[in-house]
Amino acid sequence: MTDVSQLTEAQALEELTKLADELAAHDIRYHQQDAPSISDGDYDELKRRNAALEAAFPHLVRENSPSTRVGAARAEQFSPVEHGVPMLSLDNAFSNDDALEFDAKIRRFLRLSGAEEVAYTAEPKIDGLSASLRYEKGVLVQGATRGDGKTGEDVTENLRTLAEIPKRLSGQGWPDVIEIRGEVYLGHEEFASLNAANEAAGQKTYANPRNAAAGSLRQIDPKITATRPLRFFAYAWGLFSQPFAQTQWEALALLKSWGFQTTPESQRVISGQGLLDAYAAMEAVRPKLGYDIDGVVYKVDRLDWQQRLGFITRTPRWAVARKFPAQQARTILEAIDVQVGRTGAVTPVARLRPVTVGGVVVENATLHNADEIARKDVRIGDTVILQRAGDVIPQIVGPVLDERPADSVPFEFPTHCPCPLKTPLAKETTAAGVETVVRRCTGEFACPFQRIEHLRHFVSRRAYDIEGLGEKQLTAFYERGWVKEPADIFRLARDEEKLAELRTTDGYGETSVRNLIAGIEAKRAIPLDRFIFGLGIRHIGETTSTALARHFETVEHFIATAIAAAAQRPGAGAQALSELDGVGPTAVEAILAYARHPQALLIPAGASLEEHLRLAIPRLNTRARQSLAERFGDWPTFQAAAKAALSEMPGEEFREISSVDAVGPVAARMVAEFFGEDHNRAKVDALLAELSVIPAERPKTDTAVAGKTIVFTGSLEKMTRDEAKAQAEALGAKVAGSVSKKTDLVVAGPGAGSKLKTATDLGIQVMTEDEWLAMVGG
Ligand code: IVH
């Protein structure tokens, strides 16, 4: 890039114009679409270039310069909220020198004498999206996003669904009116499970926790936001009716006493050296936090000094963001392969020239789906930017277009499975009739890729957990044709010929062979929930498997019901109706009752389908009406669908499966479809000939914890997490992964962190592992 001092005025003007357009486009992608197309580092780079040009050519500064703009205008679907005090941005510092210069500038500005020390807070810079919460007389009355800094989006109802946002302030000393500012964010674990669930459902996956948090908050339907485990840290305020603190440090303590979470890693430090030490400390804790931070925010502690220091257009003089260097690297995208998962979902995977990002060597990265590749416009042969944030799997940010070779090849998504069957890939549509991005091989067990994935799933830790049969051995046995289906694993353990071959040809030692046999034999008796989970049926995860096992108790009962259900699956119309989001069993019931006995009604001419539904079937709630209106469009179409559904409703056994807690119509259909296939039934029979299934116990209802929701956190010393979970479930309790208002009890071991804190804050009963064991008599 040409040094700014070498540019002519015309060149500078041209570059500034280009940068303004580019930055505006990036702002919209980042703030409104939650889908940035460049890395934060590259964005900062553009901003820095813009600032350098503006400094060298001050008379060319545009009126709406990117340097004076914060964020991007709000999106149309939310009402505008004028912030009482603008939500500003922070200037960036990138090095120790920048940090020391920040301290020096403050001292110069305040004309401090050499002896006078400046105290700062050093707070983690949470990588989420900022929000402003307006409290009047201690009651939350409005919540907004940042928007363009002056006007944000009204997301009050969405913010209300966050457990960590108090609806009413506790403690005392809060001003009558105050805007509390902080960051909405999502933890790494929660991000990973959200993406996994979305992927399984064929829905949009998010590039990183920040986008996921933004996407989750900015949902039109707050009920969806409520299902996302969003969290909130408070760290600042806007408008306030009375002063309430003298320092930032004191204010943080007050925010905490009013019921907010504040960042536990914040420190109060003295002078330049304190700033540098705090940065080093934050870099060290960063990997252990469980959520993304992208730097440290330094703030002058004394609020009267903050006042004196004031603002420069869009950033305070009294604070600066010291950014971590992005964990990014460039490498060559050598190929794009497609991978076939256990359920046949075909996903593109980038094969990269190995490169180190954030201390880890990366060779592969998922590209998720065809849309993602098209959106990012990555081509084979491109130099790409790889990014690794925290514990999150590496992502391809995008190509470096300047370095695109002339012979780079755009990727064409295959139309057929790469397996020897070459089945045409099927597209999927949701119940609402929308085509998803998932492409699936329909070969199932006949597709060798799916078969090996099935086998891997079968022996995995949460299914049969067969010791001595790891990924490597399994793949080897599979490739040799020894293990083609789960039953073969058990046959192998008593196949003297093959075992002898392992000893002679493969050089297995006697101990290894013995361990392998013992590992397999140990699983010839398997609990029903693991048996069901091991089948690897789509949508039947651990929780659903446990629920099914508890309900059916014996394998015979489960299989007989599943086979009967296979013959009574709902017809397409009934399926479309009962699998719609927001249309539960009660709504379906109401629609069918109407279809059985339609009544002549006076419907105003020109009524929308939603309105028509409201008058004709009053038992439907708003959510159900909206969903139906979206799916069917007009009354005649809806009426025809409802009539058709009448004769196509699933039979009793299907409904029994679907009504099991945590199952529902989609998972029930998956079970029915699985048992509807002869080849699946044959595999199950072969497996049952090899092993016995231990019946599940019905959850107890007469124990101290029956029906309660329990969270285990911290390290347990007398039992593993899995054991603790099994024990609690056997006593009729539900075990959850995160603490919310619904939690009844938290069992906390040493090292318990945020979950314990949330529990204490919410006033939930907490006990130690020993107390738990004493209570349950373990
Ligand atoms: S203070 C006047 N403190 O960083 C500025 N901001 O680039 C008040 N952020 O918009 C902001 N952690 O979204 C502040 N501990 C923290 C922060 C923080 C994250 C975000 C916030 C802000 C952006 C500035």
Side-chain angles (χ1 to χ4, degrees):
M1 216 178 291
T2 326
D3 192 287
V4 288
S5 60
Q6 307 290 310
L7 293 176
T8 65
E9 195 169 309
Q11 285 170 325
L13 180 63
E14 191 186 323
E15 202 180 330
L16 278 166
T17 312
K18 210 173 123 221
L19 277 168
D21 288 348
E22 256 178 69
L23 284 162
H26 289 310
D27 281 347
I28 288 176
R29 278 201 284 269
Y30 188 89
H31 292 283
Q32 286 184 10
Q33 299 167 348
D34 304 321
S37 59
I38 60 169
S39 67
D40 290 358
D42 287 354
Y43 178 85
D44 287 341
E45 188 67 43
L46 295 178
K47 277 261 200 187
R48 274 204 294 269
R49 177 74 178 171
N50 189 72
L53 285 160
E54 288 184 347
F57 299 90
H59 56 290
L60 295 182
V61 174
R62 310 162 70 84
E63 197 177 323
N64 183 21
S65 154
S67 58
T68 59
R69 212 174 41 233
V70 179
R74 56 175 190 88
E76 291 298 319
Q77 67 261 41
F78 298 104
S79 334
V81 174
E82 188 96 5
H83 299 303
V85 164
M87 291 181 79
L88 298 166
S89 180
L90 294 172
D91 210 355
N92 291 328
F94 294 96
S95 63
N96 279 351
D97 283 351
D98 288 355
L100 294 174
E101 176 53 24
F102 168 68
D103 176 55
K105 247 198 217 161
I106 302 279
R107 303 187 64 84
R108 283 199 296 273
F109 191 94
L110 295 171
R111 296 183 195 284
L112 298 180
S113 74
E116 194 148 19
E117 311 256 38
V118 182
Y120 298 95
T121 60
E123 306 172 20
K125 186 171 187 301
I126 311 298
D127 198 7
L129 72 154
S130 47
S132 182
L133 309 166
R134 186 178 170 103
Y135 288 84
E136 292 180 7
K137 299 218 176 315
V139 177
L140 175 64
V141 295
Q142 190 164 58
T145 63
R146 177 162 72 173
D148 66 3
K150 270 209 212 114
T151 312
E153 301 157 321
D154 187 340
V155 285
T156 312
E157 294 315 311
N158 307 53
L159 285 166
R160 271 189 211 284
T161 67
L162 271 69
E164 291 181 344
I165 291 186
K167 308 325 154 235
R168 200 174 264 282
L169 298 181
S170 37
Q172 54 220 350
W174 23 266
D176 276 352
V177 178
I178 184 163
E179 289 173 344
I180 304 288
R181 307 249 161 109
E183 204 82 355
V184 175
Y185 69 102
L186 198 61
H188 293 153
E189 270 181 39
E190 290 77 14
F191 166 69
S193 22
L194 172 62
N195 260 0
N198 278 9
E199 184 134 31
Q203 287 165 2
K204 160 175 177 172
T205 54
Y206 294 99
N208 55 46
R210 199 211 76 87
N211 293 149
S216 299
L217 182 66
R218 296 166 76 256
Q219 289 282 336
I220 298 175
D221 183 357
K223 285 205 208 87
I224 300 181
T225 309
T227 65
R228 311 279 171 90
L230 293 174
R231 308 190 56 189
F232 183 78
F233 276 127
Y235 51 64
W237 56 94
L239 180 84
F240 54 96
S241 54
Q242 295 103 29
F244 54 94
Q246 301 202 324
T247 63
Q248 170 73 15
W249 193 240
E250 189 193 336
L252 287 175
L254 279 170
L255 287 172
K256 193 163 159 50
S257 75
W258 296 343
F260 293 98
Q261 301 294 320
T262 52
T263 49
E265 288 72 27
S266 290
Q267 292 186 51
R268 184 174 180 278
V269 300
I270 306 291
S271 67
Q273 188 56 46
L275 298 179
L276 306 191
D277 295 345
Y279 176 81
M282 212 70 83
E283 261 195 322
V285 295
R286 182 185 190 190
K288 299 178 204 134
L289 291 176
Y291 48 85
D292 280 352
I293 64 173
D294 57 348
V296 182
V297 181
Y298 299 137
K299 300 175 188 171
V300 170
D301 194 33
R302 275 176 60 166
L303 299 183
D304 58 335
W305 281 357
Q306 286 192 7
Q307 188 87 27
R308 276 176 58 197
L309 285 154
F311 297 85
I312 333 167
T313 16
R314 64 174 188 112
T315 57
R317 237 183 236 108
W318 45 265
V320 74
R322 168 87 194 267
K323 292 287 216 49
F324 292 132
Q327 301 194 319
Q328 284 198 342
R330 288 176 176 211
T331 189
I332 306 286
L333 174 60
E334 293 184 326
I336 299 178
D337 289 344
V338 290
Q339 228 167 38
V340 185
R342 173 167 61 83
T343 60
V346 176
T347 40
V349 184
R351 306 290 178 205
L352 304 160
R353 186 167 299 167
V355 65
T356 307
V357 194
V360 189
V361 179
V362 178
E363 294 175 73
N364 305 307
T366 174
L367 283 161
H368 301 290
N369 53 57
D371 286 11
E372 175 106 348
I373 298 179
R375 189 172 61 75
K376 289 187 173 159
D377 183 28
V378 281
R379 300 186 185 177
I380 299 155
D382 270 346
T383 297
V384 292
I385 296 172
L386 252 185
Q387 180 166 293
R388 206 178 146 262
D391 295 337
V392 178
I393 50 164
Q395 302 280 336
I396 291 185
V397 180
V400 182
L401 291 178
D402 290 347
E403 290 177 28
R404 171 165 286 173
D407 60 351
S408 73
V409 196
F411 176 69
E412 278 196 38
F413 205 87
T415 51
H416 291 74
C417 182
C419 72
L421 299 176
K422 306 263 175 283
T423 62
L425 294 183
K427 295 182 178 176
E428 273 190 344
T429 45
T430 65
V434 181
E435 192 175 291
T436 71
V437 290
V438 181
R439 297 290 172 273
R440 222 177 270 284
C441 167
T442 49
E444 298 204 359
F445 260 112
C447 165
F449 294 157
Q450 286 181 65
R451 215 183 309 153
I452 179 77
E453 290 303 326
H454 261 283
L455 289 166
R456 284 191 184 126
H457 171 78
F458 185 83
V459 302
S460 69
R461 198 167 67 79
R462 301 199 173 272
Y464 282 66
D465 191 17
I466 298 183
E467 240 170 86
L469 188 58
E471 176 91 27
K472 216 177 71 199
Q473 291 90 338
L474 183 69
T475 313
F477 296 159
Y478 178 72
E479 279 169 1
R480 267 177 138 131
W482 285 7
V483 171
K484 296 198 198 92
E485 57 171 302
D488 290 334
I489 295 172
F490 292 94
R491 293 183 184 126
L492 176 64
R494 48 183 170 74
D495 189 330
E496 287 308 332
E497 217 170 286
K498 293 199 174 96
L499 294 172
E501 196 179 322
L502 281 181
R503 291 189 193 96
T504 52
T505 328
D506 296 70
Y508 265 58
E510 196 44 51
T511 327
S512 317
V513 175
R514 217 177 312 125
N515 287 348
L516 176 65
I517 300 174
I520 297 171
E521 291 301 332
K523 301 300 154 96
R524 260 195 221 272
I526 195 86
L528 180 56
D529 55 340
R530 284 187 182 247
F531 174 84
I532 297 175
F533 181 63
L535 297 176
I537 304 172
R538 276 171 68 197
H539 289 268
I540 308 297
E542 257 189 302
T543 316
T544 341
S545 302
T546 308
L548 286 167
R550 292 236 175 99
H551 179 88
F552 289 103
E553 292 182 54
T554 64
V555 71
E556 292 78 15
H557 187 195
F558 169 66
I559 291 180
T561 315
I563 291 175
Q568 350 155 315
R569 276 171 271 170
Q575 190 185 314
L577 204 63
S578 56
E579 292 182 9
L580 268 186
D581 254 359
V583 181
T586 329
V588 173
E589 198 65 35
I591 295 167
L592 294 178
Y594 174 83
R596 250 175 246 128
H597 307 287
Q599 282 158 14
L601 281 168
L602 274 180
I603 305 290
S608 66
L609 175 51
E610 242 185 286
E611 180 65 9
H612 202 142
L613 285 166
R614 194 175 64 79
L615 296 168
I617 316 177
R619 272 163 66 202
L620 295 177
N621 63 21
T622 321
R623 180 86 182 85
R625 287 199 302 267
Q626 279 173 351
S627 248
L628 291 164
E630 223 169 85
R631 173 69 175 86
F632 296 106
D634 56 38
W635 179 255
T637 315
F638 166 76
Q639 213 179 14
K643 272 224 182 85
L646 257 190
S647 56
E648 301 176 326
M649 284 316 279
E652 196 186 325
E653 275 85 1
F654 186 97
R655 276 184 284 130
E656 180 176 357
I657 299 178
S658 145
S659 67
V660 173
D661 188 27
V663 178
V666 180
R669 182 159 55 81
M670 297 299 157
V671 172
E673 278 174 10
F674 181 90
F675 281 95
E677 297 283 346
D678 290 341
H679 63 94
N680 288 336
R681 286 221 295 264
K683 296 213 162 68
V684 173
D685 287 345
L687 183 59
L688 285 173
E690 291 294 326
L691 47 75
S692 59
V693 182
I694 307 166
E697 277 179 41
R698 278 217 177 231
K700 300 211 166 84
T701 49
D702 56 351
T703 69
V705 294
K708 300 226 158 119
T709 301
I710 302 182
V711 173
F712 291 95
T713 182
S715 49
L716 301 177
E717 288 165 341
K718 307 228 161 81
M719 50 187 175
T720 64
R721 268 300 165 87
D722 287 343
E723 270 179 278
K725 183 167 185 249
Q727 185 190 39
E729 285 174 349
L731 292 168
K734 264 195 195 157
V735 177
S738 63
V739 178
S740 73
K741 280 178 292 186
K742 292 202 198 108
T743 312
D744 297 300
L745 171 68
V746 171
V747 180
S754 62
K755 289 183 191 168
L756 175 57
K757 224 168 109 256
T758 314
T760 325
D761 292 348
L762 291 173
I764 292 164
Q765 187 189 1
V766 175
M767 56 172 69
T768 63
E769 186 180 2
D770 285 337
E771 285 165 343
W772 161 259
L773 288 171
M775 181 172 83
V776 300

